[in-house]
């Protein structure tokens, strides 16, 4: 929360430091703009600068530093301007100074109370920024812990599950004749429960694995590749349901192919799974562009979703049906949401019960 002071005339800087001292605010005097620039990265509460200390080059350098701050940071600058009538020159300087972002201009001669009040306001806002930073850091840590937990839990739970799978398989292969029909039925139930749990754990692992990455380092991929991969994986369900799938032209996006393919697969898989009993399945896939994003939509003519559940269905393990009618574990949409949000997009559904659903997601261009 230290305040840096840059005022070329020694007495000015000392006067300003004295003004702050009265408020018990720690001040440091930068003898030259270069010193100010080198002190900035150490972290400051605010800077007070006498206008005449800055040449256009210094303003440019400061503006570059301002732009390089992390998203939570918006360092306050208080610039003391010269008194006198506005001139084209003073007007241009004031405009250049806007590049400092969080800027307060105070005309000299200024009363000490004016400066004190501006500094107090600046430090108060700065304190809020620090609070946001620590909350963000705590959130990131909690998120990383959760990812780690989901990863270890799903990994470790797979070991005993594998044993259950292997031994029930051996039991059914080598001892089938020793079991009466009831015993055979129970064994079948154990095997299908083990399969369901295996699918659930691999979905949990997939969820935990969608971790952070720098989207701008990604190559552009044509969406048709991941879409075809998804359709291929769903080949059995598409043939069995006789689903008619209409595709419009697809764009290129900055995404990992496997992520986009997973989103398509989950959404198209659901469009087939949640179909109406009597209607042939019809799915329309389209992509359009709006305000810096690509919007992908997957519309079906299935059973639809009641309005009260349009948001809850994206939660982990959230489902609206029992396993009997529609098998599943409630992870599909949660994985889609996590992937899409990691790329800075969002996902939502428009739907009426009995009238089909249209899932849409956005990806920045
Ligand atoms: P799962 O399909 O395994 O239950 P999801 O997370 O993919 O899990 O979906 C959550 C719930 O959202 C589903 O149980 C279903 O009730 C509803 N849902 C998802 N997609 C559709 C759809 N296309 N039409 C109707 N309901 C859907």
């Amino acid at each position: 929360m230290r305040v840096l002071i840059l005022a070329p005339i020694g007495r000015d800087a000392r006067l300003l430091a004295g003004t702050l001292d009265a408020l018990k605010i720690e001040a440091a005097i930068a003898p030259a703009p270069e010193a100010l620039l080198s002190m900035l990265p150490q972290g400051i509460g605010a800077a007070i600068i006498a206008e005449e200390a800055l040449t256009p080059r210094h303003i440019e350098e400061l503006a570059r530093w301002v732009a390089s701050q992390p998203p939570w940071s918006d360092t306050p600058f208080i610039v003391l301007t010269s008194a006198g009538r506005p001139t084209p020159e003073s007007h241009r300087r004031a405009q250049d100074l806007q590049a400092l972002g969080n800027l307060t201009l105070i005309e000299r001669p200024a009363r000490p109370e004016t400066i004190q009040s501006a500094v107090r306001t600046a430090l108060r806002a700065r304190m809020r920024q620090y609070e946001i930073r620590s909350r963000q850091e705590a959130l990131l840590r909690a998120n990383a812990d959760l990812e780690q937990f989901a990863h270890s839990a799903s990994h470790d739970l797979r070991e005993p599950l594998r044993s259950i799978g292997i031994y029930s398989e051996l039991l059914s292969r080598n001892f089938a004749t020793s079991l009466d029909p009831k015993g055979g039925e129970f064994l079948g139930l154990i095997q299908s429960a083990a399969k369901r749990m295996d699918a659930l754990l691999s979905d949990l692992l997939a969820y935990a694995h969608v971790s952070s990455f720098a989207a701008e380092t990604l190559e552009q991929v044509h969406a048709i590749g991941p879409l075809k991969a998804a359709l291929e994986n769903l080949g059995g369900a598409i043939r069995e349901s006789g689903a008619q799938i209409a595709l419009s032209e697809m764009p290129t996006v900055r995404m990992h192919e496997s992520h986009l393919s997973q989103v398509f697969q989950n959404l198209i898989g659901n469009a087939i799974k949640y179909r109406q009993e009597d209607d042939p399945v019809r799915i329309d896939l389209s992509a359009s562009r709006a305000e810096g994003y690509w919007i992908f939509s997957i519309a079906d003519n299935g059973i639809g979703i009641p309005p009260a559940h349009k948001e809850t269905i994206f939660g982990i393990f959230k489902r609206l049906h029992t396993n009997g009618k529609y098998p599943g574990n409630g992870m599909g949409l949660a994985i889609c949401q996590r992937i899409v949000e990691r790329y800075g997009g969002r996902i939502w559904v428009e739907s009426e019960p009995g009238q089909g659903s249209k899932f849409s997601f956005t990806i920045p261009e």
Side-chain angles (χ1 to χ4, degrees), residues 43-44 69-75 125-126 128-134 136-137:
I44 61 160
Q69 294 178 101
W72 59 266
S73 178
D74 193 15
T75 304
R126 188 68 171 150
R128 288 272 155 86
Q129 294 170 20
Y130 287 142
E131 280 166 18
I132 289 174
R133 176 184 60 178
S134 38
Q136 257 179 5
E137 283 171 355

Side-chain angles (χ1 to χ4, degrees), residues 334-350:
I335 293 174
C336 291
Q337 186 180 49
R338 190 158 157 104
I339 291 176
V340 167
E341 288 184 353
R342 284 286 155 113
Y343 285 89
R346 58 184 204 95
I347 183 168
W348 69 96
V349 65
E350 294 152 80

Side-chain angles (χ1 to χ4, degrees), residues 36 40 44 47 49 62 65-66 75-79 100 102-104:
L36 177 87
L40 284 174
I44 61 160
I49 303 175
L62 272 174
W65 181 84
V66 165
T75 304
F77 289 91
I78 298 167
V79 173
L100 301 188
N102 188 348
L103 173 74
T104 306

Side-chain angles (χ1 to χ4, degrees), residues 297-309:
S297 295
I298 291 95
D300 63 45
N301 59 345
I303 59 173
I305 296 163
H309 297 290

Side-chain angles (χ1 to χ4, degrees), residues 270 273-274 300 305 313 318-321 328-330 332-333:
N270 280 348
K273 181 160 59 166
Y274 298 104
D300 63 45
I305 296 163
I313 50 170
K318 284 287 186 302
R319 32 196 347 247
L320 307 180
H321 309 277
N329 54 32
L333 291 179

